[in-house]
Amino acid sequence: MEHVRFLASPEMRGRGAGMPELDSAAQYIAARFRAAGLQPAGEDGGFLQPFELTTDADMGEGNAMCVDRPRGAEDLEVGKDYVPINFSASGKVEGEVVFAGYGATAEEFGYDDYFHFDVRGKIVLVLRYEPDFFRERDGEGGERGRRLTRHSHLIAKAIQARNRGAKAVLLVDGRGRGRRGDRLIRFGSVSGPTDAGIPMVQVKSDVVERWLRGSGRSLRLLRRDIETSRKPQSFALASSLRVGLAVDVRHRRATVSNVAAYLPGETGGYVVFGAHYDHLGLGGQGSLAPSRVGEIHHGADDNASGVAAVLELAARLSSRRQPSRLGALFLAFAGEEIGLLGSSHWVDNPTLPLEDAVAMLNFDMVGRIEDSKLYVGGIGTAEPFEDLVGQAAARRDLRVDTSRSANSSSDHTSFAARKIPVLFFFSGLHSDYHKPSDTADKIDGEAAIGLVALAEEIADGLASLPERLAFVEPSPESGRGRPGGDGAGSGYGPWFGSVPDFGEVPEGVKFADVRPGSPAAEAGLRAGDILTGWNGAPIANLYDFTYALRESEAGDVVRVLVLRDGKELAAQVELAERP
């Protein structure tokens, strides 16, 4: 509890990526490893393994927007009349404006704003959200689903326009004026890639209404006509109207560190005990309390509790008189909350031989065990896991809900992709997840110590096995994991069969692995390939890959481009139903 209280204290300010408090947390963890007598296992003889990541984006000073109409030119004010979207590409564009409805291509609803509508070289104006009839459950005006579909996502609108050759995207909220209907999106609040590959800004409704008058249109009438006809209302605005746009979005980079310590065993093999120590800082995109962004998101359960478990295991195992047959590598990861970046960096740049890693035990949100119930994922990644977990749990009267799958948005995923058996310890979601209310006073330290003892016994069981664990490809069932989309792109559309590497690459999606027997494997794709193209469209990031899959069907044959050892290769992949 001392560890949890320190890491989740107000002074640590939520341990956000790039914050000095995250560095303080790393030093605290390293000091505890040092006090336990562990060997440094970072870089340059220390406990830290530094790496760079993109933490956030800021509006630069070069944002400008000018509208040229017959009545004269008008300069718009950033922050008042318009605002860049944080994943917008930077650059300058100028040209004619066309209206493309909601910017959606939705075959399942028989609707396409781009049908027979060429937007190449144009600036595309699109409505925010989506038509109401996209959410009708029976298609005949019945009860509407509450959730917006994927076609409402801003990144989906950006990708659709970019892939059709548009110069830029102008977003407008056409729901009406007033407090709710014409509010600019707060810069930095939208989830998406670092750079969507096309400039994108939101413009106030009253500004756009002035543009539409020259064409005899209005936002209210356009929305009404789309709803009543259930057909697109795309058209080119008056050719006398031209927009000049300069977008200046500057991405913040920071150096953060994994923290690594090693306890040697009698052999060269070792078990990894891992947990991420970063959290959301003062909120931001990952916050589930958007009205409280700017307040400290303490992250006591997520994941000061997991770090505390690893530190407790380090103290216990290092205090033994006799070494275990297997060594122990203790890893505290940075960058988990923005894409498993720390664990991905470590497996790409291991500080101990990766081939000697026998198993990885990951602790993420383990501080709120209720009714002696615990979740353990990944037991299908090695045959002995089910017995080891079941026997250890029975001796502690723990009710363990297991999953054979290793699929979950936490750091063990990076190890499973390298065919290292994994176990994922998790005490369950709660209403304080990703909110400022995830505080240390809500952690059940006594129950968490029981989990630590369980993990210690499992590790001893691994050391006593007569043969090294053999990795078993995890089943495709969806594992019990946390929400949040850290692994964007999994589970959507037909089966392709790649496992993404969450480390940052300049352009494309790197494959950490390719599932045996999958469509990707049958096409000759393999781990290390970087996907850059899909049926002629660029794939710049996981979001592009996600939407490309979503727009495809099982049985489609797609032409993909990959980079392998710096050379571009093409392959034909026949997509399949998910197993």
Side-chain angles (χ1 to χ4, degrees):
M1 286 305 300
E2 176 189 349
H3 303 317
V4 173
R5 282 190 285 267
F6 175 82
L7 293 170
S9 65
E11 292 74 20
M12 297 306 292
R13 299 181 69 240
R15 312 181 307 279
M19 296 175 65
E21 290 79 11
L22 186 70
D23 297 333
S24 299
Q27 294 298 334
Y28 175 89
I29 296 165
R32 294 306 179 273
F33 285 154
R34 187 180 298 109
L38 300 176
Q39 296 179 7
E43 294 181 354
D44 299 325
F47 288 96
L48 304 185
Q49 183 194 36
F51 64 99
E52 276 198 348
L53 48 72
T54 301
T55 62
D56 212 339
D58 296 304
M59 283 193 290
E61 297 179 356
N63 288 289
M65 190 171 183
C66 179
V67 183
D68 193 1
R69 297 190 295 159
R71 294 184 179 182
E74 177 186 14
D75 290 319
L76 302 184
E77 182 179 344
V78 67
K80 177 184 176 183
D81 300 314
Y82 77 99
V83 65
I85 304 301
N86 46 274
F87 56 68
S88 170
S90 295
K92 296 181 179 181
V93 298
E94 186 272 336
E96 299 178 10
V97 179
V98 298
F99 176 75
Y102 289 90
T105 296
E107 292 184 6
E108 66 271 37
F109 301 111
Y111 181 91
D112 184 359
D113 284 310
Y114 293 102
F115 184 68
H116 289 327
F117 190 55
D118 188 359
V119 300
R120 283 175 295 181
K122 303 295 195 303
I123 295 174
V124 175
L125 173 67
V126 299
L127 292 165
R128 196 176 175 188
Y129 306 109
E130 64 187 9
D132 287 344
F133 60 83
F134 278 20
R135 300 192 304 283
E136 288 179 1
R137 293 182 181 173
D138 58 12
E140 299 295 336
E143 183 184 4
R144 299 186 190 277
R146 292 185 178 181
R147 297 195 177 195
L148 294 166
T149 74
R150 60 187 173 88
H151 302 290
S152 68
H153 299 172
L154 300 194
I155 183 60
K157 298 174 188 287
I159 290 171
Q160 291 284 5
R162 185 201 68 198
N163 288 351
R164 286 167 172 78
K167 284 184 175 180
V169 180
L170 307 180
L171 180 73
V172 62
D173 189 339
R175 296 176 300 175
R177 298 177 181 177
R179 185 172 61 88
R180 290 189 60 196
D182 200 15
R183 180 184 297 175
L184 290 177
I185 296 168
R186 181 174 55 82
F187 182 85
S189 64
V190 181
S191 297
T194 301
D195 185 336
I198 187 171
M200 186 177 194
V201 303
Q202 181 193 359
V203 185
K204 291 291 285 287
S205 298
D206 57 352
V207 174
V208 173
E209 291 285 17
R210 294 197 294 270
W211 303 352
L212 293 173
R213 288 191 198 113
S215 302
R217 311 289 184 106
S218 73
L219 291 173
R220 182 184 65 82
L221 292 177
L222 286 167
R223 288 184 64 247
R224 183 203 65 184
D225 290 347
I226 290 173
E227 291 295 341
T228 55
S229 70
R230 301 197 174 205
K231 294 180 180 179
Q233 302 295 317
S234 304
F235 71 99
L237 275 67
S239 59
S240 57
L241 183 143
R242 297 183 71 85
V243 168
L245 178 66
V247 178
D248 182 11
V249 175
R250 301 182 181 180
H251 300 290
R252 266 184 267 166
R253 300 280 292 175
T255 298
V256 299
S257 297
N258 294 325
V259 191
Y262 182 57
L263 177 67
E266 295 176 343
T267 67
Y270 61 90
V271 175
V272 178
F273 299 89
H276 75 90
Y277 70 99
D278 64 309
H279 193 53
L280 302 182
L282 304 182
Q285 294 181 23
S287 175
L288 293 182
S291 64
R292 299 180 66 183
V293 168
E295 297 181 35
I296 296 171
H297 287 54
H298 295 87
D301 195 23
D302 186 18
N303 186 36
S305 66
V307 175
V310 170
L311 291 174
E312 180 69 15
L313 282 161
R316 288 182 176 214
L317 297 180
S318 63
S319 66
R320 292 180 172 182
R321 293 184 178 181
Q322 296 296 324
S324 170
R325 187 178 68 84
L326 295 176
L329 176 64
F330 303 95
L331 289 173
F333 302 111
E336 191 269 356
E337 295 288 2
I338 52 178
L340 314 185
L341 299 183
S343 55
S344 179
H345 180 79
W346 192 89
V347 298
D348 285 342
N349 305 273
T351 55
L352 290 179
L354 194 62
E355 62 271 18
D356 292 337
V358 173
M360 191 273 186
L361 277 58
N362 183 35
F363 303 84
D364 194 350
M365 297 178 64
V366 295
R368 292 175 68 164
I369 298 173
E370 294 184 0
D371 300 324
S372 299
K373 187 172 183 179
L374 174 69
Y375 305 104
V376 180
I379 65 166
T381 59
E383 289 297 336
F385 274 164
E386 188 164 7
D387 287 340
L388 287 173
V389 172
Q391 292 168 9
R395 279 191 279 272
R396 284 165 181 79
D397 199 26
L398 281 170
R399 297 187 299 125
V400 177
D401 185 355
T402 62
S403 168
R404 298 189 62 80
S405 173
N407 296 328
S408 180
S409 46
S410 190
D411 289 305
H412 59 281
T413 305
S414 299
F415 288 80
R418 297 305 180 95
K419 302 191 183 306
I420 296 170
V422 298
L423 289 175
F424 171 42
F425 296 88
F426 175 57
S427 60
L429 287 172
H430 45 72
S431 61
D432 299 309
Y433 173 69
H434 277 202
K435 296 178 182 177
S437 52
D438 181 11
T439 50
D441 59 296
K442 297 174 182 176
I443 301 301
D444 186 343
E446 184 176 350
I449 286 295
L451 178 147
V452 168
L454 174 78
E456 183 180 13
E457 181 174 338
I458 292 169
D460 287 340
L462 292 174
S464 67
L465 293 174
E467 297 181 357
R468 179 182 169 125
L469 286 181
F471 178 79
V472 177
E473 196 69 42
S475 61
E477 61 165 315
S478 60
R480 184 182 297 272
R482 304 172 310 150
D486 289 344
S490 62
Y492 296 113
W495 191 34
F496 184 79
S498 62
V499 178
D501 184 325
F502 292 98
E504 294 185 356
V505 294
E507 292 287 336
V509 175
K510 186 177 181 181
F511 299 153
D513 196 11
V514 172
R515 304 287 192 200
S518 68
E522 294 294 329
L525 303 182
R526 59 195 192 203
D529 288 347
I530 300 174
L531 179 68
T532 61
W534 182 283
N535 275 350
I539 299 294
N541 48 61
L542 267 176
Y543 289 86
D544 287 347
F545 189 21
T546 296
Y547 283 97
L549 272 177
R550 281 172 162 172
E551 292 179 351
S552 303
E553 296 181 356
D556 287 352
V557 177
V558 296
R559 184 177 186 271
V560 301
L561 297 178
V562 299
L563 288 176
R564 180 180 300 167
D565 299 327
K567 297 180 180 180
E568 187 174 78
L569 302 174
Q572 302 283 339
V573 181
E574 183 175 354
L575 304 177
E577 295 283 353
R578 290 188 175 272

